[in-house]
């Protein structure tokens, strides 16, 4: 049996996935990236190998992706997360023609064809506003975790506008609303809708009229998926574990590359 | 490989302050900064002065923030910052073309913050077409001639201008020849090196630069014989009006699987694309060059030219596969022109990616991801 690995080193988390030659996912792992990408990549790969009951010498081809993709000497090749998320998304949802990937530090909107190839992409790479890091800071301001924030947002009965999308300014705005007596649920809902507004600005011309899938760690947030679906007026397709889609795409490309050797 | 001349170009481009201070010490001549595009340098040269094109500083803006808004382009912010830090005290004046709203504000700041006796503000027309525009352009040149005669104490004769045009035309020809060598031998010279070659021409006296460029051509011809040039997806870069893109950005383009084969950037082919006619009426020749529609320029109200068509012609000439737009952050003329160009590239099926060029570099790794994804998209991964 042939085995292929994808390692996705993101700014917040490192994901690894093992695929066999029949395209079955046989091992996965997700770890915090920390400050040492190389170590995080190797740790995540070892954990995924353990999950798959394999050893590193069993792997036939490894592709690294994500922000720290060039820091993994064990990888045979490195491919960008844009290409990998496109391929992974298409594998899970063949009908998808657009991908919204909100990661820890940036967000991307990708138009894909039926084979999961990238046709066009846009990327917010200027700051971490509206990304996973932003959500973590906002949840911290409300003194709750991300799961609680999702649940709370659904209970909101009133719309509160969070106007500032700079993480620093938005935190001040949230604290000010909190101090003014606004309910946590309303603030949580306002935060999700603010991010949704921002992503819609980036995405609308690409996702319009298409089946859209959402990937990346932020897609695990039900509150975010809810707010974004509402804003885009479409039901977003979300995989069981959207955070590993980049690693899945990397493993799929690893298989193709190996077969073309 | 021998590359003394190329190294000299990179040295001048890397530290124009040091080069010009030393040159002035050795030659005791006045230096006039040209801010930024389309200043008729030949007139300044004919007065016995050294015209140098204003450059973007080599450090982050600090005290300049108190005089220029942070939403101005890098050139205006860093030029004023340099003035305030007294890094440009070796200059004897500046000639400013009213090419955009940001440039229009510069003379007032300079008047208050420099001791330069020569701050010349030119209103070169932003329109083409009519005789009155041509007459107005020529009257502006007459005004520049008077100002430069006063600055230098030298009379500018027709013969002196014709002589300057010949020297400048020779420089344009040499730069054009170097581009032709690159066109025929893709990857023989990096985009960073090409930038420094053109930039050296903007800083050095043309007479000295012409000798240097001849030496560069010799070095390149030797390199052609050696072979082993960099390969990659051939691309054309365009934009970057008035100022240098970061060399690091050019390196990134060429380190992610692409190779720059031609350009339409200011510190590139836009600087030398048209030679002047040699005639008994050099002012008329200058008008002909300035009022030509080539290269198309978004700072001019030119409704006849189509910049994207001009770029696709350059691509065809070079068999390029894609185009990279270098957009100076906060350059309103280019920002206004870009949406139409982007649509036209898409209609023609030309892969295109836009990179914002900021004075203060941030997040190069994100740019790397965008460029690498672009290459993967073109390459069909």
């Amino acid at each position: 049996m042939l085995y292929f690995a994808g390692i996705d080193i993101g700014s917040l988390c490192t994901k690894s996935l093992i695929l066999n030659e029949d395209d079955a996912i046989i091992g996965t792992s997700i770890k915090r990236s920390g400050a040492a990408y190389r170590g995080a990549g190797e740790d995540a790969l070892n954990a995924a190998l353990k999950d798959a009951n394999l050893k590193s010498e069993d792997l036939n081809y490894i592709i690294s992706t994500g922000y720290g993709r060039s820091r993994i000497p064990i990888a045979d090749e490195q491919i960008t997360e844009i290409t990998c998320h496109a391929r992974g998304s298409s594998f899970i949802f063949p009908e998808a023609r657009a991908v919204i990937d909100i990661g820890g530090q940036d967000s991307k909107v990708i138009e894909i064809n039926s084979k999961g190839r990238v046709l066009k992409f846009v990327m917010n790479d200027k700051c971490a506003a509206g990304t996973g890091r932003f959500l973590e800071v906002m949840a911290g301001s409300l003194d709750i975790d991300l799961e609680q924030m999702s649940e709370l947002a659904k209970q909101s009965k009133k719309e509160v506008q969070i106007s500032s999308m700079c993480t620093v300014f938005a935190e001040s705005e949230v604290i000010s609303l909190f101090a003014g007596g606004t309910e946590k649920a309303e603030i949580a809902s306002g935060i999700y809708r603010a991010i949704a507004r921002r992503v819609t600005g980036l995405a609308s011309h690409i996702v319009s009229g298409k089946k859209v899938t959402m990937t990346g760690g932020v897609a695990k947030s039900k509150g975010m998926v809810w707010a974004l679906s509402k804003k885009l007026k479409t039901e977003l397709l979300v995989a069981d574990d959207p955070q590993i889609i980049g690693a899945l795409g990397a493993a799929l490309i690893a298989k193709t590359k190996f077969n073309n050797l | 490989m021998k590359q003394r001349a190329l190294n000299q170009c990179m040295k001048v481009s890397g530290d124009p302050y040091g080069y010009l201070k030393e040159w002035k010490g050795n030659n005791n001549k006045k230096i006039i900064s040209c801010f930024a595009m389309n200043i008729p340098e030949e007139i300044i040269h004919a007065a016995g002065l050294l015209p140098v094109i204003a450059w973007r500083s080599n450090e982050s803006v600090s005290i300049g923030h108190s005089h220029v808004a942070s939403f101005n382009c890098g050139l205006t912010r860093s030029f004023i910052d340099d003035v305030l830090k007294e890094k440009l005290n070796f200059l004897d004046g500046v000639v400013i073309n009213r090419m955009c709203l940001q440039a229009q504000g510069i003379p007032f700041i300079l008047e208050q913050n420099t001791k330069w006796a020569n701050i010349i503000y030119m209103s070169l027309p932003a329109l083409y077409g009519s005789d009155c525009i041509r007459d107005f352009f020529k009257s502006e040149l007459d005004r520049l001639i008077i100002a430069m005669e006063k600055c230098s104490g030298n009379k500018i004769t027709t013969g002196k201008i014709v002589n300057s045009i010949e020297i400048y035309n020779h420089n344009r020809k040499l730069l054009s020849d170097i581009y032709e060598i690159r066109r025929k031998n893709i990857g023989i010279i990096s985009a960073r090196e090409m930038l420094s070659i053109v930039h050296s021409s903007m800083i050095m006296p043309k007479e000295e630069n012409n000798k240097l460029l001849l030496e560069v051509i010799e070095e390149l011809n030797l390199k052609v014989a050696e072979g082993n040039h960099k390969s990659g997806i051939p691309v054309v870069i365009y934009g970057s009006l008035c100022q240098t893109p970061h060399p690091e950005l050019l390196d990134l383009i060429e380190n992610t699987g692409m190779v720059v084969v031609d350009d339409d950037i200011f510190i590139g082919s836009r600087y030398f694309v048209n030679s002047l006619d040699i005639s008994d009426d050099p002012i008329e020749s200058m008008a002909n060059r300035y009022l030509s529609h080539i290269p198309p320029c978004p700072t001019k109200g030119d409704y006849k030219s189509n910049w994207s068509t001009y770029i696709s012609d350059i691509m065809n000439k070079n068999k390029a596969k894609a185009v990279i737009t270098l957009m100076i952050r906060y350059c309103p003329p280019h920002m206004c022109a870009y949406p139409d160009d982007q649509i036209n590239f898409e209609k023609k099926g030309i892969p295109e990616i836009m990179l914002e060029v900021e004075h203060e570099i941030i997040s190069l790794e994100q740019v790397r991801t965008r460029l690498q994804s672009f290459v993967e998209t073109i390459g069909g991964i």
Side-chain angles (χ1 to χ4, degrees):
Chain A
M1 185 67 93
L2 301 172
Y3 299 102
F4 310 97
I7 311 170
D8 178 3
I9 306 99
S11 61
L12 281 182
C13 291
T14 295
K15 292 76 64 177
S16 187
L17 181 145
I18 313 291
L19 193 75
N20 70 17
E21 65 186 70
D22 297 327
D23 289 342
I25 298 168
I26 56 169
T28 61
S29 77
I30 299 176
K31 302 216 170 247
R32 295 292 281 191
S33 294
Y37 289 144
R38 182 175 171 171
E42 284 168 2
D43 286 353
L45 179 64
N46 288 335
L49 282 167
K50 193 176 175 190
D51 192 33
N53 206 17
L54 293 176
K55 292 177 182 158
S56 59
E57 49 268 33
D58 296 325
L59 294 173
N60 295 87
Y61 211 85
I62 305 170
I63 284 198
S64 61
T65 185
Y67 196 56
R69 63 188 178 278
S70 58
R71 304 269 174 221
I72 308 298
I74 194 175
D76 294 291
E77 218 172 313
Q78 49 122 330
I79 300 283
T80 64
E81 57 270 36
I82 292 173
T83 301
C84 290
H85 275 266
R87 195 61 53 84
S89 295
S90 185
F91 180 79
I92 301 286
F93 298 112
E95 70 274 33
R97 292 293 176 273
V99 182
I100 296 174
D101 164 32
I102 306 183
Q105 180 174 273
D106 58 28
S107 43
K108 296 133 188 149
V109 183
I110 312 159
E111 183 179 350
I112 59 174
N113 67 12
S114 59
K115 292 177 178 168
R117 296 226 163 99
V118 177
L119 298 176
K120 192 192 289 182
F121 66 90
V122 288
M123 183 173 170
N124 158 39
D125 56 8
K126 293 295 173 200
C127 70
T131 63
R133 179 73 78 189
F134 177 83
L135 272 179
E136 281 190 349
V137 172
M138 292 301 105
S141 305
L142 295 174
D143 200 22
I144 52 178
D145 63 30
L146 288 170
E147 205 165 317
Q148 289 171 314
M149 197 160 104
S150 276
E151 290 306 316
L152 261 180
K154 287 181 192 167
Q155 297 165 22
S156 167
K157 293 187 176 67
K158 208 167 86 180
E159 290 203 350
V160 175
Q161 290 285 335
I162 307 288
S163 55
S164 179
M165 279 305 295
C166 164
T167 307
V168 178
F169 291 143
E171 189 177 15
S172 304
E173 203 174 337
V174 165
I175 290 167
S176 171
L177 285 167
F178 204 35
T182 307
E183 295 292 327
K184 274 187 185 180
E186 290 159 10
I187 298 173
S189 166
I191 289 166
Y192 287 126
R193 278 186 288 102
I195 298 176
R197 275 202 309 275
R198 186 183 175 95
V199 174
T200 304
L202 190 71
S204 55
H205 70 289
I206 285 185
V207 304
S208 177
K210 297 184 180 79
K211 294 275 187 193
V212 187
T213 175
M214 186 173 172
T215 62
V218 173
K220 282 183 166 176
S221 162
K222 289 174 185 157
M224 194 62 247
V225 175
W226 161 76
L228 197 52
S229 296
K230 205 170 161 189
K231 187 72 186 165
L232 290 171
K233 298 189 180 86
T234 186
E235 194 69 32
L236 293 174
L237 306 166
V238 182
D240 291 341
D241 190 350
Q243 202 169 6
I244 58 151
I245 298 297
L248 169 62
L252 287 164
I253 295 170
K255 182 186 166 189
T256 309
K257 293 268 183 186
F258 180 79
N259 289 337
N260 291 338
L261 283 177
Chain B
M1 192 206 81
K2 182 191 161 203
Q3 56 170 35
R4 189 210 73 84
L6 182 56
N7 288 343
Q8 178 61 13
C9 292
M10 295 184 83
K11 191 178 168 193
V12 172
S13 173
D15 181 19
Y17 308 90
Y19 173 81
L20 288 171
K21 267 189 251 179
E22 190 181 336
W23 183 88
K24 190 166 184 173
N26 292 338
N27 293 276
N28 197 27
K29 280 189 177 179
K30 288 182 177 173
I31 304 176
I32 302 293
S33 176
C34 301
F35 193 103
M37 299 195 293
N38 299 317
I39 304 287
E41 292 174 70
E42 290 89 341
I43 289 176
I44 303 168
H45 180 267
L49 306 165
L50 174 61
V52 297
I53 305 294
W55 61 87
R56 196 169 50 74
S57 157
N58 54 359
E59 59 184 65
S60 293
V61 174
S62 55
I63 52 178
H65 284 308
S66 57
H67 289 74
V68 187
S70 53
F71 48 80
N72 265 37
C73 72
L75 180 66
T76 50
R77 289 191 298 121
S78 71
F79 186 75
I80 293 300
D81 193 57
D82 271 0
V83 165
L84 296 169
K85 288 173 179 167
E86 301 191 344
K87 287 169 69 180
L88 299 177
N89 283 356
F90 55 84
L91 293 178
D92 297 281
V94 60
V95 179
I96 301 169
N97 177 19
R98 185 208 64 165
M99 65 210 162
C100 71
L101 289 171
Q102 293 171 23
Q104 286 181 29
I106 298 294
F108 309 107
I109 304 171
L110 295 180
E111 278 168 8
Q112 289 178 338
N113 293 284
T114 68
K115 292 173 185 164
W116 297 339
N118 307 283
I119 300 172
I120 316 298
Y121 185 58
M122 297 193 78
S123 291
L124 299 181
L127 293 169
Y128 299 108
S130 70
D131 288 343
C132 69
I133 288 171
R134 179 174 286 266
D135 290 345
F136 175 69
F137 177 78
K138 286 158 71 176
S139 72
E140 281 294 278
L141 295 193
D142 289 340
R143 200 163 63 79
L144 181 64
I145 288 172
I146 292 166
M148 291 299 103
E149 283 180 341
K150 192 176 161 195
C151 173
S152 64
N154 298 326
K155 180 79 184 156
I156 300 176
T157 63
T158 299
K160 283 181 179 173
I161 300 178
V162 169
N163 178 53
S164 297
I165 289 175
E166 283 174 347
I167 292 166
Y168 271 68
N169 274 354
H170 188 210
N171 192 259
R172 292 181 182 110
K173 168 79 170 56
L174 292 170
L175 288 170
S176 178
D177 288 348
I178 293 172
Y179 268 58
E180 195 58 37
I181 293 172
R182 175 170 70 173
R183 184 170 297 120
K184 288 178 180 161
N185 305 276
I186 291 173
I188 191 168
I189 188 165
S190 71
R192 176 193 275 261
E193 289 167 338
M194 193 60 103
L195 182 89
S196 71
I197 289 171
V198 180
H199 199 205
S200 74
S201 158
M202 294 172 150
I203 303 295
M204 296 173 70
K206 288 289 186 284
E207 295 86 339
E208 286 180 33
N209 192 250
N210 285 347
K211 287 180 198 161
L212 190 63
L213 295 186
L214 280 168
E215 212 181 311
V216 168
I217 289 171
E218 269 181 40
E219 290 174 359
L220 287 176
N221 284 331
L222 283 174
K223 202 174 169 187
V224 168
E226 286 171 10
N228 193 26
H229 312 145
K230 188 178 170 70
S231 61
I233 296 171
V235 297
V236 167
I237 54 175
Y238 91 103
S240 199
L241 300 174
C242 301
Q243 55 195 279
T244 41
H246 287 284
E248 292 84 353
L249 205 57
L250 302 179
D251 291 344
L252 212 49
I253 291 169
E254 297 198 310
N255 288 337
T256 46
M258 293 177 274
V259 58
V260 175
V261 291
D262 207 340
D263 66 54
D264 183 51
I265 61 176
F266 177 56
I267 303 179
S269 73
R270 296 182 72 83
Y271 183 61
F272 61 84
V273 73
N274 288 332
S275 289
L276 273 75
D277 301 329
I278 305 291
S279 74
D280 296 337
D281 189 351
I283 298 299
E284 190 67 31
S285 297
M286 287 184 191
N288 288 340
R289 180 173 195 258
Y290 180 81
L291 298 172
S292 143
H293 294 263
I294 302 290
C297 185
T299 66
K300 296 179 184 175
D302 178 10
Y303 306 108
K304 286 185 181 171
S305 304
N306 185 318
W307 202 4
S308 57
T309 302
Y310 181 73
I311 299 301
S312 61
D313 287 346
I314 293 177
M315 289 181 68
N316 291 337
K317 193 174 166 187
N318 290 278
K319 298 186 175 66
K321 294 267 175 22
V323 60
I324 298 176
T325 306
L326 298 177
M327 170 80 73
I328 299 295
R329 193 156 169 83
Y330 305 125
C331 173
H334 193 180
M335 288 166 81
C336 289
Y338 178 65
D340 278 348
D341 292 335
Q342 190 188 27
I343 290 166
N344 289 335
F345 289 135
E346 198 167 334
K347 277 183 187 166
K348 289 176 184 172
I350 296 172
E352 182 264 351
I353 188 168
M354 187 268 277
L355 305 179
E356 270 194 333
V357 180
E358 302 187 49
H359 177 60
E360 289 86 2
I361 284 194
I362 51 167
S363 308
L364 265 185
E365 282 306 307
Q366 276 95 332
V367 179
R368 183 194 299 278
T369 296
R370 293 185 61 216
L371 285 169
Q372 194 181 331
S373 297
F374 184 59
V375 169
E376 288 166 3
T377 305
I378 300 168
I381 290 177

